[in-house]
């Protein structure tokens, strides 16, 4: 198995409920995403995700998890996406995602 450990590098994230941008971290946790096989070996991505506090007192969502565009939107859709992919992504896609996770372009 290929294990990829990553974390997002954005300093701030917008609240999905009200759009207020926050830099105040509430907590951290690890999401485990099963990826498609690379070279015949299964891939597991362990992504450290931060929960932010919404700064807007009137917002109905006190905390929210950061999102990594193109990789996860929520855990359910990520699991469905990875299981339904029949062919592995080309190496250029994997490299682009890895650069994005490291905060490089």
């Amino acid at each position: 198995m290929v294990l990829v450990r990553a974390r997002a590098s954005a300093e701030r994230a917008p609240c999905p409920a009200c759009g207020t941008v926050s830099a105040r971290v509430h907590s951290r946790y690890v999401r485990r995403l099963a990826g498609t096989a690379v070279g015949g070996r299964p891939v597991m991505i362990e992504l450290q995700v931060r929960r932010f506090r919404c700064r807007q007192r009137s917002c109905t969502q006190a905390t929210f998890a950061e999102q990594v565009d193109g990789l996860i939107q929520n855990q359910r859709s990520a699991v469905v996406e990875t299981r339904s992919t029949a062919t592995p992504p080309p190496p250029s896609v994997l490299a682009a995602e890895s650069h994005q996770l490291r905060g490089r372009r």
Side-chain angles (χ1 to χ4, degrees):
M1 174 181 288
V2 176
L3 176 63
V4 177
R5 289 191 174 129
R7 61 184 166 157
S9 61
E11 294 178 14
R12 297 172 174 76
C15 173
C18 71
T20 301
V21 176
S22 178
R24 188 169 174 202
V25 176
H26 173 268
S27 60
R28 291 174 175 82
Y29 66 97
V30 174
R31 284 186 172 173
R32 289 177 181 83
L33 308 167
T36 57
V38 174
R41 298 172 65 187
V43 175
M44 172 69 67
I45 300 171
E46 290 185 351
L47 178 63
Q48 184 183 54
V49 177
R50 293 168 292 181
R51 291 196 66 79
F52 288 90
R53 284 194 186 277
C54 183
R55 297 181 314 139
Q56 186 64 258
R57 292 182 189 255
S58 62
C59 183
T60 58
Q61 191 158 351
T63 65
F64 57 93
E66 67 186 322
Q67 302 296 310
V68 177
D69 292 337
L71 186 60
I72 57 172
Q73 291 304 315
N74 64 46
Q75 283 183 316
R76 288 180 196 229
S77 65
V79 171
V80 171
E81 281 179 16
T82 57
R83 289 186 183 160
S84 66
T85 305
T87 58
S92 60
V93 171
L94 292 175
E97 287 181 3
S98 121
H99 285 292
Q100 182 180 5
L101 289 170
R102 291 183 300 196
R104 300 179 187 162
R105 301 215 180 226

